[in-house]
Amino acid sequence: MTIEIGDGGIVIDATLIGPLLKVAPEDVPKLMRDGALTSLCETGVGDDAGTYRLSFFYQGRRVRLQVTEAGEVLRRSIVDYGAAPLPQAMHRPGG
């Protein structure tokens, strides 16, 4: 599974992020439209130039993917607070 990065934006298949967020892939588009599942994209600078950090937030869970301009996933991380909400600081760039 690759991530498509182009002039129109970044497209990620729900089958990639759904399981990481403990969400059925078919539910991802609706959760995003409803604002329950949110995302943040950061562009790498300095040593990280040529990469993007994509963060996804749903309930008490944050998933981060560091990807190349070609859409290859270099790293992924998951923070899970369980039933507790994520701290607001985790929703900010670099947080």
Side-chain angles (χ1 to χ4, degrees):
M1 169 66 52
T2 60
I3 296 169
E4 296 177 30
I5 300 174
D7 294 336
I10 298 174
V11 178
I12 301 172
D13 193 309
T15 60
L16 176 63
I17 60 167
L20 298 174
L21 291 166
K22 295 185 178 180
V23 172
E26 60 270 17
D27 294 338
V28 169
K30 181 179 183 340
L31 290 169
M32 290 190 90
R33 280 191 305 273
D34 293 347
L37 192 163
T38 58
S39 62
L40 174 69
C41 176
E42 299 171 84
T43 303
V45 295
D47 290 342
D48 293 318
T51 65
Y52 297 92
R53 181 165 62 186
L54 311 175
S55 300
F56 300 89
F57 309 93
Y58 181 66
Q59 295 180 342
R61 203 163 169 89
R62 179 189 73 190
V63 170
R64 274 198 172 153
L65 303 174
Q66 182 181 13
V67 301
T68 66
E69 291 176 324
E72 176 188 359
V73 177
L74 300 174
R75 275 186 219 109
R76 77 176 191 188
S77 68
I78 300 170
V79 174
D80 190 345
Y81 275 69
L86 285 171
Q88 283 300 316
M90 294 189 83
H91 287 267
R92 287 185 233 140

